[in-house]
Amino acid sequence: GINAEYMGKVKSMESLLWVIFRDFLFFLLGYYVVRGGIVGIDWLVMRRMNKLRKKVLLLVFGSGGHTGEMISMLEHHDFKKYSRLIFVRSEDDYNSESRVYNFLDSKGDKIDFSKIDWIRIPRSRQVKQSYFTSIFTTLYSILVTYFKLLLNAKVDVAIVNGPGVCVPVVYSLLLNKLLLINISTKIVYVETFSRVRRLSLSGKLLYYIVDRFVVHWPELAKAYPRARYYGQLI
């Protein structure tokens, strides 16, 4: 009796969350239509303007070793070709910002720090958090992340790697694509270096929806057809 009652509450909660999420999508779609975003001539004008402007790059820094991996991959990256840089970290990550600035200083490229915007988002899942409760924290993180990204410039290229903090970012960018707000965003996911034979949970969640899925080991590329192996990038 207790288990049946508990499962009934869980199903009711899941139904409520689905209704909220569905209505949220309809609200965004209606808002965008009212603004005149889905109009042929406006779309063509914006497309021409996008070709002329410099690009916007988004990077996700997942704290600890994940931030270290991202920094290593960006060692020879040219940041000057972007008009804006959007860096994302979790709200409780207090080390990544200083590490990133130290890295950029060491590159000697004289990057204009004023074009860097940091977005701080809630974690979708804490260490040792149950998968059931992480459903709700992930939904909350997606909502917060989406609105924070919506207030920023349109993202042209997003590069993310293994940590869970990248999941709400990718889903938010995907939602912008589905709503035709920014269909040109290219999302590149790089699996964490420690994954040799099996994907991480983040990799499994994002495998089919990113534009390019990159791995560090040939064994992973053989096991997952959509994965691309370019050698070890760090």
Side-chain angles (χ1 to χ4, degrees):
I2 297 177
N3 289 336
E5 182 180 354
Y6 174 75
M7 292 304 298
K9 290 181 178 179
V10 170
K11 290 183 179 179
S12 298
M13 182 61 70
E14 290 177 346
S15 299
L16 178 61
L17 287 171
W18 164 244
V19 170
I20 294 173
F21 189 64
R22 181 201 61 191
D23 292 345
F24 169 69
L25 292 179
F26 280 123
F27 166 77
L28 287 177
L29 182 60
Y31 171 73
Y32 192 65
V33 171
V34 170
R35 285 185 56 194
I38 310 177
V39 177
I41 188 168
D42 289 347
W43 184 78
L44 289 173
V45 170
M46 289 184 67
R47 188 177 181 184
R48 289 180 181 234
M49 290 177 64
N50 285 338
K51 289 183 177 179
L52 295 175
R53 69 178 174 83
K54 282 189 174 182
K55 302 300 183 181
V56 176
L57 172 68
L58 180 146
L59 300 172
V60 176
F61 296 93
S63 77
H66 294 297
T67 292
E69 286 187 16
M70 180 64 78
I71 288 175
S72 296
M73 288 189 293
L74 298 170
E75 185 68 37
H76 303 290
H77 199 78
D78 181 14
F79 290 97
K80 289 184 178 180
K81 62 184 179 181
Y82 303 103
S83 62
R84 287 186 65 189
L85 299 169
I86 300 176
F87 295 164
V88 182
R89 70 165 176 85
S90 62
E91 293 174 339
D92 57 356
D93 175 12
Y94 304 106
N95 297 316
S96 286
E97 286 194 28
S98 60
R99 293 178 66 185
V100 170
Y101 283 125
N102 289 337
F103 159 69
L104 294 176
D105 272 334
S106 67
K107 279 177 67 66
D109 293 342
K110 295 182 179 179
I111 297 171
D112 183 6
F113 286 174
S114 65
K115 70 179 184 180
I116 299 175
D117 291 317
W118 281 92
I119 295 179
R120 301 160 186 86
I121 64 173
R123 286 188 183 273
S124 55
R125 183 173 182 265
Q126 297 289 348
V127 177
K128 296 183 179 180
Q129 181 182 349
S130 70
Y131 288 114
F132 174 72
T133 58
S134 66
I135 295 174
F136 307 105
T137 53
T138 298
L139 286 174
Y140 171 72
S141 183
I142 291 173
L143 290 176
V144 172
T145 303
Y146 181 78
F147 281 111
K148 287 191 174 185
L149 288 177
L150 195 64
L151 295 175
N152 277 270
K154 289 185 177 180
V155 175
D156 296 289
V157 181
I159 303 176
V160 304
N161 62 345
V165 69
C166 75
V167 173
V169 174
V170 173
Y171 282 158
S172 297
L173 294 173
L174 178 64
L175 187 56
N176 269 347
K177 284 189 173 187
L178 295 175
L179 295 176
L180 306 182
I181 295 174
N182 189 13
I183 62 174
S184 61
T185 301
K186 300 301 180 185
I187 306 172
V188 180
Y189 175 88
V190 183
E191 183 58 285
T192 190
F193 184 78
S194 62
R195 291 292 173 165
V196 179
R197 301 186 184 279
R198 291 187 297 178
L199 298 179
S200 63
L201 178 59
S202 299
K204 292 175 181 177
L205 292 172
L206 305 179
Y207 177 72
Y208 290 104
I209 63 177
V210 296
D211 297 289
R212 185 61 56 89
F213 195 98
V214 182
V215 296
H216 291 282
W217 300 94
E219 292 87 346
L220 271 180
K222 292 178 181 178
Y224 298 91
R226 289 198 76 239
R228 295 292 180 266
Y229 171 67
Y230 304 109
Q232 295 181 356
L233 305 178
I234 61 175

